[in-house]
Amino acid sequence: MSIHIYNTLSRSKQPLNPIEPGKVKMYVCGMTVYDYCHLGHARVLVAFDVISRYLRAKGFELTYVRNITDIDDKILRRAEENNEPFEALTSRFIQAMHEDAERLGIEAPDAEPRATAHIADIVTMTATLIDKGYAYHAENGDVYYRVSRFDGYGKLSGKNPEELLSGARIAVDEAKEDPRDFALWKAAKAGEVSWESPWGAGRPGWHIECSAMSTCCLGDNFDIHGGGPDLVFPHHENEIAQSEAATGKAYANTWMHAGAVRVDNEKMSKSLGNFFTIREILDKYHPEVVRYFLISSHYRSAINYSEDNLQIAKQNLERFYHALKGLGNIAERPYAELDLAEPYVARFDAAMADDFNAPEALAVLYEIVRDMNNAGAAGDTERQQELAALLKSLAAVLGILRTGAEEFLQTATEGAISAEEIDALIADRAQAKKDRDFARADQIRAELTDRGVVLEDSREGTTWRRA
């Protein structure tokens, strides 16, 4: 079954036809590292992690590049506010980003280029654009891209260049020929961080960084370029203009964009007080719950973050783990070894091949859980184990069910009663029952219930999980 992907450039679903058969080259715009990653970053990270997992599961040799912007105006302003070298600031937040990504179960990209390591490539591309007449060195020392020179400007975003011209303004300190022009190289003021170039000391503009890094890592033309919804214009539009003017070739064949994140149906914004970092959310919810929440909507659709929706995600994920509880270590199989003629596998694969439709794929997993529970109730442990292995194998493509069932069901969130306290109270309850002090035993059960702990008694003893 061929994979079809919605291409922002064509505004339609198109079959994935890699430039080189069997191999896929994908570049995704990563973080600008001046602060902790927020929920919008998590959406992009998880979306393209699922995409990369599925492409690899289908046997493609994927080269996944996700860059780091470690020099720009925001970084320099924050470093100045903190009175620290910008390298110290970016190093700290790169480490934090990696920690957040690891907790969310995101696999590392094959390459993670940093803008500061590609200054020479940026300078070379900028010089090429000047030589071809697509850029110019202005009187203020900056180098600007000449938007009017590129005939295809606006083809990704659908924006009309003439309409952009009517609404554009030129700042007092700029020396642009056209208000739509954008900076490729920014001349440094006294004392600013800078690198040498043919146009004097300065630093790169944001857009040219990705053009240089992507082409250096993947070549002039590659298969997929992705990012967040806010990057379509101007960032990705400008990348196309720079790259195609410099190389004379089509830049990326397919453009993919994750949907926006809203908080309680409002745009996420620090000014509205509804801005959440990944680590703030992970203090309250298990990482798999957050990941499940993010994949429960199609990657292109807007997603609404709310306490209610996180609770729903938690409950749905618990259904999977309850079905796996008590079955021991389930040996999952590589996706390539699964039988595509098996109805569950066929439907899961069809969902993922249709623009990576994770919600439809999750619906298949729910049906497997239903049949697992029916098999368990009927005493058919062989079928139950067989379905459990299939569940785990398919879930691995989505990056969920990575935790042991008992461990997941007992994981505490911030402020919750600890496992040690729970075990101690269960031991006290067992002793009370042994002493025939049933009132005390009931009191302990009620206390644990009030503190969000469910006890499950059986002939083998008492187990527990968090409500």
Side-chain angles (χ1 to χ4, degrees), residues 25 68 130 146 199 282 289 306 418:
K25 295 179 180 181
I68 293 175
I130 291 175
R146 191 175 273 122
W199 319 285
L282 295 181
V289 171
S306 69
S418 70

Side-chain angles (χ1 to χ4, degrees), residues 37-263:
C37 294
H38 56 66
L39 187 60
H41 296 138
R43 181 81 195 280
V44 175
L45 287 169
V46 170
F48 284 97
D49 183 65
V50 170
I51 290 164
S52 66
R53 285 172 181 266
Y54 181 65
L55 291 173
R56 289 194 170 105
K58 291 294 287 182
F60 288 101
E61 184 182 325
L62 174 67
T63 304
Y64 177 20
V65 179
R66 189 184 69 220
N67 78 292
I68 293 175
T69 297
D70 61 346
I71 182 67
D72 87 334
D73 294 344
K74 291 179 181 178
I75 289 170
L76 296 179
R77 280 197 298 269
R78 183 62 57 85
E80 185 177 359
E81 290 168 5
N82 293 354
N83 194 28
E84 66 176 325
F86 85 94
E87 298 94 339
L89 176 81
T90 57
S91 177
R92 185 167 71 254
F93 286 119
I94 289 170
Q95 180 178 341
M97 176 189 69
H98 288 156
E99 291 169 355
D100 292 342
E102 184 177 359
R103 291 181 69 188
L104 286 171
I106 292 161
E107 296 177 334
D110 298 293
E112 198 173 48
R114 302 184 185 187
T116 55
H118 286 266
I119 299 296
D121 302 312
I122 292 166
V123 168
T124 297
M125 181 172 277
T126 301
T128 298
L129 290 169
I130 291 175
D131 290 343
K132 289 187 170 186
Y134 286 96
Y136 56 94
H137 186 201
E139 292 180 1
N140 64 354
D142 294 347
V143 177
Y144 293 103
Y145 184 89
R146 191 175 273 122
V147 168
S148 62
R149 179 77 165 74
F150 186 71
D151 291 337
Y153 197 79
K155 63 183 178 181
L156 180 69
S157 62
K159 293 185 180 294
N160 185 317
E162 296 308 312
E163 290 176 359
L164 291 173
L165 179 60
S166 64
R169 298 288 183 273
I170 298 179
V172 174
D173 61 343
E174 292 179 320
K176 298 178 181 180
E177 295 177 353
D178 184 315
R180 298 170 299 181
D181 295 349
F182 55 90
L184 303 176
W185 187 261
K186 299 181 178 183
K189 298 180 178 64
E192 284 187 336
V193 174
S194 64
W195 289 264
E196 288 302 318
S197 80
W199 319 285
R203 63 180 185 275
W206 176 36
H207 312 302
I208 194 71
E209 292 177 351
C210 280
S211 286
M213 286 186 282
S214 60
T215 52
C216 284
C217 292
L218 298 177
D220 295 342
N221 173 230
F222 52 92
D223 299 295
I224 298 172
H225 195 314
D230 55 328
L231 299 183
V232 177
F233 184 87
H235 185 53
H236 287 163
E237 194 75 73
N238 290 350
E239 277 190 67
I240 291 173
Q242 296 162 157
S243 304
E244 295 190 356
T247 67
K249 300 176 183 177
Y251 183 35
N253 291 351
T254 299
W255 287 84
M256 303 179 68
H257 294 92
V261 175
R262 299 179 69 81
V263 178

Side-chain angles (χ1 to χ4, degrees), residues 405-441:
E406 285 75 11
E407 179 187 347
F408 177 85
L409 294 169
Q410 293 180 358
T411 299
T413 53
E414 187 178 35
I417 182 174
S418 70
E420 292 76 16
E421 289 180 85
I422 295 169
D423 290 338
L425 286 168
I426 289 174
D428 289 347
R429 178 172 176 265
Q431 185 61 48
K433 291 171 73 174
K434 187 176 180 180
D435 296 339
R436 304 188 66 77
D437 186 354
F438 299 114
R440 171 61 180 155

Side-chain angles (χ1 to χ4, degrees), residues 372-390:
M372 279 178 63
N373 292 336
N374 290 340
D380 189 348
T381 55
E382 182 178 349
R383 178 60 174 163
Q384 188 181 21
Q385 290 276 348
E386 177 185 304
L387 287 168
L390 180 60

